[in-house]
Amino acid sequence: MISDCTTSNARHLNDLTASSSCVVKNCHSNGDSSGAFVTHGQYEHDLHFTANSGILTLANSGKAWGQSAARIVINQHRCSMLTADTHVTDLTLTDVCIHRNAEQDNLGILRLNCDGLTVQNCSVSGELTLLQNSRRSIKMNVFENCGFVLDPRHDSTISNLAPDDPYIVSHPAAEARNSINGRSLVYFSHCQFKGTDKDVSLLIKNKEINFNACRLENVSLILTAEGPQKIVINGDSTLAGDHMSRPLLSRTGDHAVTWRLGPLQSEVTGDEQLHIEVASGINHYQAHHVTFTHGRRLFSDKAFSRPSYFIEQNNILINTTSVVPASTGPHIVVENTEV
């Protein structure tokens, strides 16, 4: 066990390399941008960090070090940056607070590898970026009772190292931040997302994503994958937007997207704000027990020719205008919904 250590302006407080079966408790660091708590990537495993504070990076020292770690538990931790986005498997975060820190360029960054990931009761202010660089775990990727206050995409370089330095290369480009990109299901339950201005978006490149009983306020969800995707928003979730620059829900590209919406509420201010825009690709769209309040909805004919389908049942539209597919046939079904 390592316990009760404190440092300021030092590069590493704890550097665990090729280590296992260790507990780090009640250790604190400030003034450091390289990582107070570090594993180098030589398959460090079965580590437990509890009740600490300071930047934490796992398996983030470059390919030469292996970029691997497994079964690491982090709880009651406070920091301005936590990165574990290489080949980190079965990571568990509980009661972790990631906050902006003026002493470290106002950072607020959480970057994780979705490979058996469990995140509970955590909060993030700044950036949420999820990747999938490994696929070793049998576990699902689950976020439960977490809160995210997201900035627009931003440049958060924190080092004077050369652009090709392994430390810098390991960080995603600015345009890839605030994104979810992987092959396995990512499941959010009872989580809240808030955007800091009208341009905040979360790019979803993941193959499958589920929001259950969540609230997303002033955050545009944009499906941007190149292959088939599925998005589920249910459990009486709420989407809300106040004069956003983009629709609350939209997509890019020509790939197939499966939409499973409801029960949920979608609420916007202003007559021109879009709840949802689906104007391209193949779309398998089902919306049940959804309440749309104010604003507009746009579904183009191009996006709903066969093999696409459009099914709306038992939805409520309150002061909402809609452009819906003009074509008819068994692939267009509207029941108990006035569009």
Side-chain angles (χ1 to χ4, degrees):
M1 174 183 284
I2 302 170
S3 65
D4 306 315
C5 300
T6 303
T7 189
S8 295
N9 302 314
R11 185 164 182 261
H12 297 323
L13 174 58
N14 298 132
D15 186 347
L16 300 173
T17 303
S19 305
S20 65
S21 306
C22 182
V23 175
V24 180
K25 183 177 181 180
N26 193 34
C27 293
H28 306 279
S29 172
N30 60 53
D32 163 51
S33 294
S34 298
F37 304 90
V38 174
T39 74
H40 266 71
Q42 292 184 311
Y43 197 66
E44 294 82 16
H45 61 91
D46 299 291
L47 306 176
H48 193 155
F49 296 85
T50 185
N52 304 299
S53 65
I55 287 177
L56 193 153
T57 67
L58 303 179
N60 193 35
S61 297
K63 291 183 179 180
W65 290 91
Q67 295 184 314
S68 292
R71 296 184 303 280
I72 295 179
V73 176
I74 303 166
N75 64 8
Q76 296 179 318
H77 193 95
R78 182 176 173 85
C79 62
S80 60
M81 182 171 71
L82 194 159
T83 62
D85 56 359
T86 53
H87 300 85
V88 180
T89 302
D90 290 333
L91 174 67
T92 299
L93 307 183
T94 306
D95 296 319
V96 173
C97 175
I98 297 173
H99 62 99
R100 295 183 183 88
N101 188 336
E103 294 181 355
Q104 294 164 329
D105 296 333
N106 209 32
L107 292 177
I109 295 173
L110 178 63
R111 297 175 184 158
L112 301 175
N113 182 44
C114 291
D115 186 6
L117 179 63
T118 301
V119 182
Q120 298 173 314
N121 306 321
C122 296
S123 61
V124 178
S125 180
E127 175 199 327
L128 172 67
T129 301
L130 305 179
L131 307 171
Q132 186 170 3
N133 288 312
S134 60
R135 198 171 186 175
R136 300 167 176 165
S137 179
I138 191 62
K139 294 168 57 181
M140 290 178 62
N141 302 296
V142 177
F143 290 74
E144 184 177 9
N145 192 33
C146 295
F148 307 95
V149 178
L150 302 182
D151 293 333
R153 227 148 264 103
H154 58 285
D155 185 2
S156 53
T157 301
I158 57 171
S159 174
N160 293 321
L161 296 173
D164 60 348
D165 185 274
Y167 180 76
I168 297 299
V169 170
S170 67
H171 291 267
E175 60 272 14
R177 296 168 187 158
N178 281 352
S179 68
I180 301 174
N181 186 356
R183 301 177 298 279
S184 301
L185 170 66
V186 176
Y187 186 90
F188 291 92
S189 176
H190 297 84
C191 293
Q192 179 157 265
F193 297 77
K194 286 189 175 183
T196 56
D197 70 21
K198 64 183 180 62
D199 294 321
V200 173
S201 62
L202 189 61
L203 303 181
I204 299 176
K205 302 178 183 179
N206 217 62
K207 181 177 180 180
E208 186 172 359
I209 191 163
N210 190 311
F211 297 93
N212 176 263
C214 294
R215 179 176 177 85
L216 296 97
E217 182 177 339
N218 293 332
V219 176
S220 297
L221 302 181
I222 307 174
L223 305 185
T224 62
E226 296 179 358
Q229 282 188 281
K230 181 178 181 180
I231 181 169
V232 178
I233 307 178
N234 59 12
D236 205 30
S237 292
T238 297
L239 308 179
D242 183 7
H243 296 97
M244 298 291 290
S245 63
R246 302 180 181 91
L248 297 182
L249 287 171
S250 63
R251 59 159 299 166
T252 63
D254 295 321
H255 62 286
V257 173
T258 299
W259 310 79
R260 296 291 181 267
L261 306 181
L264 71 88
Q265 297 81 43
S266 183
E267 306 164 353
V268 299
T269 56
D271 295 336
E272 296 303 313
Q273 171 70 57
L274 280 164
H275 295 274
I276 181 169
E277 180 179 17
V278 183
S280 64
I282 297 170
N283 297 279
H284 304 139
Y285 174 87
Q286 286 183 272
H288 303 268
H289 302 285
V290 180
T291 300
F292 296 96
T293 303
H294 302 298
R296 299 187 301 131
R297 308 185 310 156
L298 175 59
F299 304 95
S300 75
D301 289 336
K302 177 183 176 182
F304 288 96
S305 59
R306 293 177 183 270
S308 296
Y309 58 78
F310 179 91
I311 300 174
E312 289 215 314
Q313 296 172 310
N314 303 309
N315 297 332
I316 298 174
L317 280 69
I318 303 172
N319 298 324
T320 302
T321 60
S322 299
V323 175
V324 298
S327 58
T328 59
H331 67 297
I332 305 294
V333 178
V334 179
E335 295 179 347
N336 199 28
T337 301
E338 183 178 350
V339 296

